[in-house]
Amino acid sequence: MSTSTIERPLLVSAVLLYAAGITLAAFHISHEAALVLRWLATVLLVVFAARRRSLTPWIFVAMVVGAELGFDAPRFAISLRVFSDIFLRLIKAIVAPLIFATLVTGIAGHGDLKGVGRIGIKSLIYFEVVTTLALVVGLTAINLSQAGRGLTIPSTVTVEAPQNTPAPTHWQDFLLHVFPENIAKSVAEGQILQVAVFAVFFGIALAGLSETRRAPVLQLCEGLSEVMFRFTNIVMYFAPIGVGAAMAFTVGHMGLGVLVNLGKLLLTVYGALLAFGLFVLLPAALLFKVPVRRFLSAVAEPATIAFATSTSEAALPRAMEAMEALGVPRRIVAFVIPAGYSFNLDGSTLYLATASIFVAQAAGVHLSIAQQVTMMLTLMLTSKGVAGVPRATLVILLATAATFGLPTEPIFVLLGVDALADMARTTVNVVGNCLASVVVAKWEGEFGTEPVSDVVLKGISE
C-alpha cells in the first residue's frame, strides 16, 4: 500500500473524529466522549505527521495538540510557556548574525553598489503601496462591520504592556532610530533594522577595499552565513515543541470563550486580512508572475511558526531560507525581508486601522473621513519597527488615542482578543515580506538565476 493511500484515510479520520468531538462538546451531550474523540483524532494526526518526512506537518499537529492541551488542561498548558520562550530565544540568537553575514556577503561579494540602491528604492516603493492598500482594506472593513457599536465596556479593565516598546513616534525620532550608535547594543536589543543598516555600510566599505584585503573578511562572512543557516536547521527540530507550547499557553491563558464578547471584531479582522490576501497580495503576485503554488508551499512553514508564536522574528530565519530555496538571490532576501520588518507590516497596519476605528465606534465618537485618513497616516509612522514585539500594537493604540482624544477603556478591552488577532496579523506580516522579496527579485529579473546553497536546500527538505 502506498504512503499516500495510508496517509489520506488517517487525515480524513482525524478530521471527522475531531469534528464529532467538537460537536458533542458544543451541544453538551457527553463531555467524556467528546474528550476521547478529540484526543483519538490528535493521536491519528501524530501518526500522520510521523509518516511524513517534513517538519511542516509536525508543526501543524503541534498546534492542534497545544490548543487541545490549553482547552483541556489550562493550568498545565500555561506552565509550558517556558518551551516556547526557549524556542524564541534560540531564534533571536540567529537573527542578527544571519542578517549581518548575508547582507555583507550580498553587497561586497557582488560589488554592485548601484544594484543595492536600486533594490532599496524598489523595495520601499512596493512597501508603501502595499501598506497603504492595507490601511484602505482595514478602514473599509471596520466601517462596514461597525464592530465597535454598542460595546459594553467593563467598569474595571487592565492591560499588561509589552516588555519592549516600539520605535519613537515622531518621524525625526524614527529616522534617528534607524541608525545604530552601538552595534552590540542593537544586537542585544533585537533592533533588526539597525543591524541591517550597519551591515549595509559595512558591506559598502568592504566592497571598496582591494581584492586581497577584502577576500578574508568576505570569506569569513560567507562561512558565517552558511553556519547560521545550518544553525537554523538544527533549531527548527525544536520548532514543533516551541510552537505547540506557544499555542497551549495562548489557549490556556485566554480561553476559547474569549470569542463571545468581541467575536465580531475578530471576524472583521480575519475577514479583512483574508480580503487583503485575495485582493492585494494575490494580484501583486500575479502581476509580477510569481509562481503562486510554489510560493505558498515555501511560505507555509514560516507562516505557521508566525501564527503560533505571534512573533514575526521567530519566522525570519526560516522565511529567508525558504525564499532563497524558492529562487530569490540571497542578497535580495537579506535586504528585503529585514527591511520589511520595519516598513512592510501589512498585517499590523491593517489591524491598527481596524482597531483604532473600533475604539472610536465603541466610545461613540464620530470620525469624519478626513479625520480617519489623518489617523491612518499617523499609524503608518507609529507602526514602524513593531513586528518583533508581541502585542506592541496596544502601546501604539494607546498613543494614538491620546493624540486624537479618544478614551482608553475600549483599547484595554481589546486585550481579550489581541492574542488571537496577533496570530493572524503576524502571519500576514511574514507572508507579505516573503512575497516582497520574490516581487523585488522578479522586478530585478534575477529570480531563479543563482544556485541555491546545499545547506539551505537540505534545511528546507527536512
Side-chain angles (χ1 to χ4, degrees):
M1 187 177 291
S2 66
T3 302
S4 60
T5 306
I6 298 173
E7 291 173 355
R8 193 175 295 112
L10 279 173
L11 190 58
V12 172
S13 300
V15 171
L16 292 176
L17 286 173
Y18 212 87
I22 293 175
T23 302
L24 290 179
F27 288 97
H28 305 285
I29 296 176
S30 173
H31 174 73
E32 292 77 13
L35 187 66
V36 169
L37 287 174
R38 293 199 307 271
W39 277 105
L40 182 58
T42 303
V43 171
L44 291 180
L45 286 176
V46 171
V47 175
F48 167 78
R51 298 188 62 86
R52 302 294 296 271
R53 301 199 173 192
S54 171
L55 273 174
T56 304
W58 277 111
I59 293 174
F60 276 108
V61 171
M63 289 175 61
V64 174
V65 174
E68 190 64 38
L69 275 175
F71 182 69
D72 296 330
R75 287 190 178 181
F76 174 70
I78 291 173
S79 69
L80 297 177
R81 183 178 185 177
V82 63
F83 295 105
S84 66
D85 289 342
I86 290 172
F87 177 64
L88 291 177
R89 285 192 174 201
L90 289 172
I91 290 294
K92 288 178 179 179
I94 296 170
V95 171
L98 178 63
I99 290 175
F100 174 80
T102 50
L103 263 179
V104 171
T105 302
I107 295 171
H110 293 79
D112 183 12
L113 299 185
K114 289 184 179 179
V116 174
R118 190 172 59 248
I119 290 171
I121 292 173
K122 289 180 178 179
S123 299
L124 289 176
I125 291 173
Y126 177 81
F127 292 163
E128 291 310 310
V129 170
V130 173
T131 51
T132 300
L133 291 174
L135 286 173
V136 172
V137 172
L139 272 178
T140 303
I142 191 63
N143 279 295
L144 287 175
S145 73
Q146 296 289 311
R149 298 293 180 191
L151 176 68
T152 302
I153 302 172
S155 58
T156 304
V157 286
T158 57
V159 64
E160 180 184 350
Q163 294 180 351
N164 301 318
T165 56
T169 56
H170 299 294
W171 72 267
Q172 300 97 326
D173 294 329
F174 173 73
L175 187 61
L176 182 63
H177 185 77
V178 167
F179 297 92
E181 60 178 338
N182 185 321
I183 187 59
K185 179 182 177 183
S186 300
V187 172
E189 294 179 352
Q191 298 292 344
I192 297 174
L193 189 57
Q194 291 185 4
V195 174
V197 169
F198 178 85
V200 168
F201 280 102
F202 190 94
I204 292 173
L206 186 60
L209 297 180
S210 63
E211 181 64 30
T212 55
R213 294 184 181 275
R214 181 171 69 236
V217 180
L218 184 59
Q219 188 175 8
L220 174 64
C221 290
E222 289 174 345
L224 178 61
S225 65
E226 291 292 312
V227 170
M228 295 318 298
F229 276 124
R230 182 56 185 162
F231 194 136
T232 300
N233 298 341
I234 295 172
V235 170
M236 288 310 298
Y237 286 118
F238 189 69
I241 297 174
V243 166
M247 182 62 73
F249 172 80
T250 300
V251 176
H253 181 64
M254 304 304 298
L256 295 177
V258 74
L259 298 178
V260 176
N261 293 329
L262 296 176
K264 193 174 181 180
L265 172 64
L266 201 65
L267 288 174
T268 300
V269 171
Y270 273 70
L273 290 171
L274 180 61
F276 176 77
L278 291 176
F279 300 117
V280 178
L281 295 184
L282 180 59
L286 296 176
L287 178 64
F288 286 91
K289 298 181 180 179
V290 174
V292 176
R293 288 187 179 180
R294 287 177 54 208
F295 172 78
L296 292 176
S297 177
V299 83
E301 189 174 314
T304 304
I305 294 170
F307 182 83
T309 62
S310 302
T311 309
S312 301
E313 190 179 51
L316 185 144
R318 200 58 161 185
M320 293 177 68
E321 261 193 337
M323 291 305 100
E324 183 178 341
L326 184 64
V328 182
R330 180 173 295 183
R331 65 183 181 280
I332 294 179
V333 169
F335 183 90
V336 175
I337 292 183
Y341 272 48
S342 286
F343 296 101
N344 191 42
L345 307 181
D346 302 332
S348 295
T349 302
L350 187 151
Y351 175 77
L352 285 169
T354 305
S356 59
I357 304 303
F358 171 86
V359 170
Q361 291 174 353
V365 177
H366 174 72
L367 295 175
S368 66
I369 297 298
Q371 289 174 315
Q372 291 187 31
V373 171
T374 302
M375 183 182 287
M376 294 308 100
L377 292 175
T378 303
L379 288 171
M380 283 190 69
L381 177 63
T382 56
S383 65
K384 304 304 183 185
V386 301
V389 186
R391 259 74 78 189
T393 49
L394 289 174
V395 177
I396 295 174
L397 285 172
L398 287 169
T400 304
T403 302
F404 289 88
L406 298 175
T408 57
E409 286 81 4
I411 299 175
F412 298 154
V413 174
L414 287 175
L415 183 63
V417 293
D418 189 69
L420 295 174
D422 202 12
M423 293 176 174
R425 65 179 181 247
T426 303
T427 303
V428 174
N429 286 341
V430 170
V431 173
N433 281 326
C434 288
L435 179 60
S437 69
V438 183
V439 166
V440 172
K442 283 281 189 176
W443 199 348
E444 284 283 290
E446 296 188 18
F447 182 79
T449 59
E450 295 185 4
V452 182
S453 164
D454 292 337
V455 174
V456 171
L457 288 175
K458 183 179 180 182
I460 295 298
S461 64
E462 289 177 344

